Amino acid sequence: MKILKLVMMITLFAATPTWAESLTGPQNNAVRSANLYLSMQGFSRSGLIQQLSSDFGDGYEVADATVAVDSLDIDWNKQAAKSAQQYLNMMGFSCQGLIEQLSSSAGDWYTESQATYGARQAGAC
């Protein structure tokens, strides 16, 4: 009976994602905030961390925001395409102009590769 109980405990423990066990309260809250932001619009990794940690955003510690974002399984190329489409829904952009907007630190902070992918997927190039 003790062996069966031990096997059941090990099985339950193994079913829990290891990253979820190691997140603090603030990090878990930042994960919830990140998921909400991602459901509304596209974000780059840096942009999402900035949004979560900014005094004008959620005010999480940068370290907590970073751990939270990195614990999620996010396709940054898809996020770039989402952002690119959102820009094109508002106004016209040239291919290069949209890539610059998406990759600029004054814009969305995607990598050049992600920005290029997003602009192409959205039909700007």
Side-chain angles (χ1 to χ4, degrees):
M1 189 67 155
K2 287 183 181 181
I3 293 175
L4 179 59
K5 186 176 179 181
L6 180 61
V7 169
M8 289 173 53
M9 287 174 43
I10 291 171
T11 303
L12 287 174
F13 180 75
T16 304
T18 54
W19 63 263
E21 295 168 7
S22 61
L23 294 182
T24 65
Q27 291 165 349
N28 275 312
N29 288 335
V31 165
R32 291 176 56 207
S33 296
N35 281 321
L36 180 61
Y37 284 122
L38 292 169
S39 73
M40 293 186 285
Q41 69 182 65
F43 277 91
S44 67
R45 179 183 178 275
S46 295
L48 186 54
I49 292 168
Q50 176 66 24
Q51 178 65 34
L52 292 169
S53 62
S54 167
D55 290 338
F56 300 105
D58 292 75
Y60 291 105
E61 296 293 326
V62 173
D64 288 336
T66 302
V67 168
V69 169
D70 288 346
S71 75
L72 298 171
D73 184 24
I74 301 169
D75 182 336
W76 299 114
N77 282 331
K78 284 177 82 172
Q79 290 298 310
K82 186 176 181 180
S83 294
Q85 189 60 60
Q86 289 168 329
Y87 277 117
L88 291 176
N89 288 343
M90 291 187 292
M91 62 190 295
F93 277 89
S94 68
C95 176
Q96 191 55 41
L98 185 54
I99 292 169
E100 288 175 14
Q101 177 64 33
L102 292 168
S103 62
S104 166
S105 62
D108 293 77
W109 300 0
Y110 287 101
T111 66
E112 187 81 17
S113 172
Q114 292 163 350
T116 301
Y117 177 88
R120 288 183 177 152
Q121 287 298 115
C125 303

